[in-house]
Amino acid sequence: MTPTLALTCQLIEQPSVTPHDADCQQIMMQRLAAIGFDCREMPFGDVKNFWAVRGSDGPIFCFAGHTDVVPSGDESHWHSAPFKATIKGNYLYGRGAADMKGSLAAMVTACERFVAAHPDHKGRIAFLITSDEEGIAIDGTVKVVEQLQKENTPITWCLVGEPSSSKVTGDTIKNGRRGSLGAKLVVKGVQGHVAYPHLARNPIHEAAPALAALTAEVWDHGNAFFPATSFQISNINGGTGATNVIPGTLEVLFNFRFSTEVTEQQLRERTEVILQQHGLDYEIHWALSGQPFLTGCGALVDATVAAIRDVTGLDTELSTAGGTSDGRFIAPTGAQVVELGPVNATIHKIDENTHIGELEQLSQVYERILQTLLA
């Protein structure tokens, strides 16, 4: 069993369901401290985070990731226990194998080999690890980044270990992400009996044309890096449950995944113009999860692309597709950010798994990036 595989198995067997860490971070810090990292616990609220750094000056290359995982669901549906690392053929099974304990292990072992070969490397290597990524993400990476900014500790390059790959590890890296803007819309009507509609005002009927207009709106056309902005309604709720009562209110949850072609403020304003055009009596409550970000061609992207080609022979694809990640908290500081991790086909699913051989390749790719930027 290789060091990367052994460490991945050890981390999988810690039941770190978000926001709990279950000692995963202690395991990582012990390994990092042994090779000269200064490890600093940075808890906020009930969330465990740590910042570890090796080196005293120069640019910072930061590995970022999370030890928390999503719940396993009904464990009886798994072919093997979700928090027992199980090897079947060429695959390692367990919750977190792909998202993202495999990446965390690959980061640590890459650093162990790199430091052994380059004990006096240039710049600084850092780890920013949280247990609050799969949950509400308010006491994790965002808080650590805020503290680092107060201390004037800027991250130069950041590699997030999210499972970015599509079919084989390294075929896709994320060099940006779309923004995420959510809203809760409350449309007000007048409750009444369905037999006397003239004495009531049905908010469902009044909202339907406005919702159709929002759905049909072309918000932008995207660009070379981002698809067009998407508007999606995720939940509609109205009524008392009775068939003979016109509801007094309608609640609608919706979300924008938006490109750099439009701003958060523009989306808010254009949405409210449409609602007002339809004469709705409404309240709307907005929640921004993250701004879009993009890391173009530069030292980090070039080093990552070259490392993947050298180790795997693949010509990787740059992508901004998918959901949000903690990169959204790091990129606004001016850091170059990419995401590179295992294949994402089984993340958050029953029988989550990763290919053992590709896990080793991932560690080698991480090491090669360090060699390019800091050797």
Side-chain angles (χ1 to χ4, degrees):
M1 184 175 288
T2 66
T4 305
L5 179 57
L7 181 53
T8 304
C9 291
Q10 186 179 9
L11 293 174
I12 286 173
E13 296 194 350
Q14 314 307 310
S16 55
V17 176
T18 191
H20 303 292
D21 169 67
D23 291 331
C24 289
Q25 293 180 22
Q26 287 297 326
I27 293 170
M28 293 181 67
M29 285 189 284
Q30 288 173 6
R31 295 282 286 261
L32 294 172
I35 56 172
F37 278 80
D38 179 15
C39 299
R40 172 186 174 190
E41 295 183 40
M42 298 182 68
F44 293 97
D46 295 327
V47 172
K48 290 186 177 180
N49 311 288
F50 80 82
W51 170 256
V53 64
R54 189 181 196 278
S56 58
D57 55 31
I60 296 177
F61 179 94
C62 177
F63 286 109
H66 59 91
T67 55
D68 59 319
V69 297
V70 296
S72 62
D74 188 342
E75 295 190 11
S76 67
H77 293 164
W78 287 66
H79 288 97
S80 55
F83 295 107
K84 178 176 174 56
T86 304
I87 297 172
K88 297 180 182 178
N90 293 323
Y91 289 87
L92 171 64
Y93 288 79
R95 176 59 85 221
D99 188 13
M100 57 176 287
K101 293 180 176 180
S103 297
L104 297 179
M107 293 171 181
V108 171
T109 58
C111 285
E112 289 173 338
R113 295 191 304 273
F114 177 76
V115 167
H118 305 280
D120 299 318
H121 59 79
K122 297 183 293 186
R124 290 169 281 180
I125 310 171
F127 278 71
L128 194 172
I129 307 298
T130 183
S131 65
D132 185 34
E133 195 276 344
E134 297 289 8
I136 55 178
I138 61 172
D139 285 323
T141 299
V142 63
K143 290 288 182 63
V144 177
V145 169
E146 289 173 358
Q147 184 61 36
L148 293 176
Q149 287 185 289
K150 292 177 183 177
E151 298 171 2
N152 194 27
T153 306
I155 296 170
T156 310
W157 306 296
C158 181
L159 191 151
V160 185
E162 289 292 345
S164 63
S165 304
S166 298
K167 295 182 179 179
V168 293
T169 296
D171 64 1
T172 307
I173 62 175
K174 302 294 176 67
N175 65 322
R177 291 281 192 166
R178 294 175 294 174
S180 177
L181 176 64
K184 176 182 178 180
L185 172 66
V186 180
V187 181
K188 302 174 184 179
V190 176
Q191 183 172 310
H193 197 294
V194 295
Y196 303 95
H198 58 288
L199 299 178
R201 198 174 78 248
N202 194 320
I204 298 176
H205 294 184
E206 292 185 349
L211 297 179
L214 289 169
T215 303
E217 179 76 3
V218 178
W219 304 96
D220 61 46
H221 296 283
N223 54 37
F225 295 98
F226 290 92
T229 292
S230 168
F231 169 87
Q232 293 294 322
I233 296 172
S234 58
N235 198 292
I236 295 179
N237 184 45
T240 64
T243 61
N244 60 352
V245 179
I246 293 171
T249 59
L250 171 70
E251 293 187 359
V252 182
L253 302 181
F254 61 82
N255 179 270
F256 288 100
R257 292 301 166 100
F258 62 103
S259 78
T260 51
E261 292 295 303
V262 65
T263 67
E264 167 206 355
Q265 188 61 34
Q266 288 171 332
L267 291 174
R268 293 186 184 209
E269 292 173 353
R270 289 171 61 184
T271 297
E272 299 220 30
V273 165
I274 291 173
L275 297 175
Q276 291 163 10
Q277 286 174 342
H278 287 79
L280 299 184
D281 181 8
Y282 71 92
E283 294 178 357
I284 191 165
H285 307 277
W286 296 96
L288 178 69
S289 296
Q291 296 283 3
F293 68 89
L294 178 70
T295 296
C297 293
L300 180 58
V301 169
D302 293 348
T304 305
V305 170
I308 292 170
R309 184 184 299 115
D310 291 345
V311 173
T312 70
L314 296 171
D315 289 321
T316 192
E317 175 187 354
L318 302 181
S319 171
T320 62
T324 58
S325 78
D326 276 0
R328 70 189 188 274
F329 303 127
I330 301 167
T333 68
Q336 297 178 37
V337 178
V338 298
E339 299 174 25
L340 170 61
V343 172
N344 55 29
T346 63
I347 62 173
H348 293 204
K349 292 184 177 181
I350 301 291
D351 293 331
E352 179 180 350
N353 64 82
T354 192
H355 191 283
I356 293 170
E358 292 179 10
L359 192 62
E360 295 304 324
Q361 285 187 326
L362 183 64
S363 181
Q364 293 169 22
V365 170
Y366 289 165
E367 181 185 8
R368 190 66 59 91
I369 295 170
L370 289 172
Q371 291 170 347
T372 300
L373 295 175
L374 297 180

